[in-house]
Structures are given as C-alpha cells and as structure tokens.
C-alpha cells in the first residue's frame, strides 16, 4: 500500500501533464491553420496571418494554455507558412515541454481564364 499511492499520484500527474501538452499543441495547430488561411487570402499579408494566429491563441486562453507564444510567417506567390511555437503549462516542476507546429496554405490569386 505504501508503494501504490505514490505510484498512483505520479500516474495522475503525468496524465495531467500529457493532457495539458496535447491541448496546447492542438490549440497551436488550430491557430497556425487559422493564420495560414488569413494570410493566404487574396490581398492577404504575412502580418494578417500572424495577427490571426495570435488572436486565436488569445481567444483560446492565451498564457493559460500556451506559455512563451511565438508566431512567425512566410508568404510568397504560391504558398503561405505560419509557424506557432511555445510551451505548454506544466504541473511537473522543472519541466517545460515545448512544441513547434506549422501550417501551410496556397496563396489565393487571380488567374486568366483558359
């Protein structure tokens, strides 16, 4: 019994940490996708994508979900790339699991009819 309770508590804390990491990474993936869609729109700019991704994370909980948020982007005539990086909130002292996710989209543009 003396070994079972500590093992149960460690399992609980690790499960909680895994859930927090999974949630933060999913929010980052959704934010990157939202940013890529905004930047890929006709007339869109990289700054539009970065702003959209940052706003998405803020609406999803901001620093309470992703700590140390960093959003970067790149746009050319054919594609848009938005990168979101950060760390998940931690319940394990001294450990900050970090992640970096990317989303790409094709740039919208008018083309001549065949």
């Amino acid at each position: 019994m003396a070994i079972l309770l500590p093992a149960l508590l460690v399992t609980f804390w690790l499960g909680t940490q895994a859930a927090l990491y999974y949630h933060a990474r999913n929010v980052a993936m959704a934010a990157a996708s939202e940013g890529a869609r905004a930047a890929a729109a006709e007339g869109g700019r990289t700054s539009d994508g970065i702003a959209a991704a940052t706003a998405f994370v803020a609406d999803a909980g901001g620093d309470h979900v992703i700590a140390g948020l960093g959003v970067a982007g790149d746009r050319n005539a054919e594609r848009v790339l938005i990168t979101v990086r950060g760390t998940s909130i931690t319940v394990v002292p001294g450990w900050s699991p970090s992640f970096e996710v990317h989303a790409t989209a094709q740039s919208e543009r008018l083309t001549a009819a065949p």
Side-chain angles (χ1 to χ4, degrees), residues 23-33 56-57 66 84-85 99 101:
H23 177 64
R25 193 168 188 286
N26 280 341
V27 168
M29 288 169 59
S33 294
F56 187 94
V57 171
I66 300 174
V84 177
R85 63 181 66 86
F99 53 84
V101 296

Side-chain angles (χ1 to χ4, degrees), residues 11-113:
T11 302
F12 171 76
W13 286 113
L14 290 177
T16 302
Q17 183 62 59
L20 287 170
Y21 177 80
Y22 181 75
H23 177 64
R25 193 168 188 286
N26 280 341
V27 168
M29 288 169 59
S33 294
E34 186 70 23
R37 276 192 295 272
E42 184 181 354
R45 299 182 315 260
T46 305
S47 60
D48 297 333
I50 292 171
T54 304
F56 187 94
V57 171
D59 289 344
D63 288 341
H64 297 292
V65 176
I66 300 174
L69 176 67
V71 181
D74 181 40
R75 184 180 201 280
N76 61 32
E78 295 179 10
R79 68 163 182 82
V80 173
L81 172 69
I82 298 293
T83 302
V84 177
R85 63 181 66 86
T87 58
S88 70
I89 302 303
T90 185
V91 294
V92 178
W95 186 47
S96 298
S98 61
F99 53 84
E100 179 175 308
V101 296
H102 310 278
T104 59
Q106 286 188 327
S107 300
E108 292 180 4
R109 58 194 165 132
L110 291 177
T111 58

